[in-house]
Amino acid sequence: MKYKWLNYKQNEEIIVFFNGWGMDESIVSHLSPENYDVIMFYDYNSLKPDFDLIMLNQYKKRHLIAWSMGVMTATLFDISWNSKTAINGTLKPIDDKYGIPERIYDLTLKNFSLMGAKKFFKSMFKEEVSIPAISREFENQKSELKALKEYKANENFQYEKIILSSEDKIIPTKNQSAFWKTEPNIISGHAPFNHFTKWSELI
């Protein structure tokens, strides 16, 4: 698992962002950090972090914001959070009832191609949204897709805030609603970040 500082000014509070599959910082680069340090974790080919998580304890408050596959991945680390937000993901992201139907996931992995990846990223957004340029190697994304299927969430983990899009074509909205027992609360596709201007709006 890789990390990247999106803002590091030694502030008192930190936002820890667990990104989705295949992503980099371009998906959230427009968000203002305000008075927060912001660190992003991504590339879940391995769950061994390149970052010493003990360093997070130096902050007065730690805020978790997890999106898509990051919602599941974030539960696998023993960190004390002051707030926890899940965005368009569940603790069972590959599941016929609560996530991406397993058959669809397996077919995506089996037939994964460069063209398929571009189509996938396009389907994350509503038509009027410009798609950011993702700087990840194709083979790296493909191996991450395979690795994610092997991970199982800590199902005792509890998120406090759920952001659920009405038109999610990646993890079906109805499956997320069934898992969280809540209705959509934002009109958006799988990637809703264009609706926000600063990180604090997600806490």
Side-chain angles (χ1 to χ4, degrees):
M1 187 171 73
K2 297 179 181 177
Y3 76 95
K4 184 170 186 176
W5 286 103
L6 305 185
N7 191 56
Y8 184 56
K9 299 290 179 61
Q10 295 184 316
N11 290 301
E12 288 189 347
E13 300 186 32
I14 188 171
I15 290 171
V16 181
F17 177 52
F18 275 77
N19 210 337
W21 164 78
M23 294 288 106
D24 62 13
E25 70 276 12
S26 61
I27 197 83
V28 291
S29 60
H30 65 287
L31 296 177
S32 170
E34 301 173 283
N35 294 321
Y36 295 92
D37 281 359
V38 182
I39 190 172
M40 174 187 74
F41 290 107
Y42 68 109
D43 188 349
Y44 307 123
N45 273 285
S46 167
L47 289 180
K48 183 178 180 181
D50 291 342
F51 179 83
D52 187 355
L53 297 174
I54 294 176
M55 286 184 62
L56 297 177
N57 293 329
Q58 70 185 346
Y59 289 91
K60 186 176 181 180
K61 289 187 178 180
R62 294 161 297 282
H63 304 281
L64 170 63
I65 297 174
W67 171 54
S68 191
M69 286 294 183
V71 172
M72 176 270 291
T73 309
T75 72
L76 303 176
F77 299 92
D78 186 16
I79 301 169
S80 176
W81 301 108
N82 295 92
S83 70
K84 295 172 284 187
T85 301
I87 304 172
N88 289 334
T90 74
L91 302 192
K92 294 184 177 183
I94 307 169
D95 187 272
D96 291 346
K97 290 184 178 181
Y98 300 126
I100 301 169
E102 190 166 4
R103 178 176 173 275
I104 299 298
Y105 194 94
D106 288 343
L107 284 173
T108 302
L109 180 58
K110 180 180 178 181
N111 301 318
F112 195 67
S113 64
L114 187 59
M115 183 176 295
K118 291 180 179 179
K119 183 179 179 181
F120 177 91
F121 293 134
K122 185 176 181 180
S123 69
M124 292 198 309
F125 301 89
K126 289 175 66 65
E127 292 180 2
E128 67 273 15
V129 178
S130 59
I131 303 172
I134 309 299
S135 298
R136 291 277 303 275
E137 295 293 332
F138 169 73
E139 289 299 330
N140 180 265
Q141 291 174 322
K142 184 176 181 179
S143 59
E144 183 185 13
L145 193 65
K146 183 178 181 180
L148 282 164
K149 192 175 181 184
E150 304 303 315
Y151 306 147
K152 302 297 180 184
N154 170 9
E155 295 189 17
N156 293 320
F157 194 94
Q158 295 184 345
Y159 282 93
E160 298 153 349
K161 180 176 180 177
I162 309 299
I163 296 176
L164 173 53
S165 289
S166 60
E167 301 174 45
D168 196 325
K169 297 178 182 178
I170 304 302
I171 304 178
T173 298
K174 66 180 181 64
N175 287 9
Q176 293 186 59
S177 289
F179 182 83
W180 297 116
K181 296 180 174 59
T182 189
E183 295 301 314
N185 49 27
I186 186 170
I187 300 173
S188 179
H190 186 62
F193 299 105
N194 62 299
H195 290 269
F196 305 94
T197 60
K198 50 191 178 183
W199 280 102
S200 61
E201 295 174 316
L202 297 167
I203 295 175

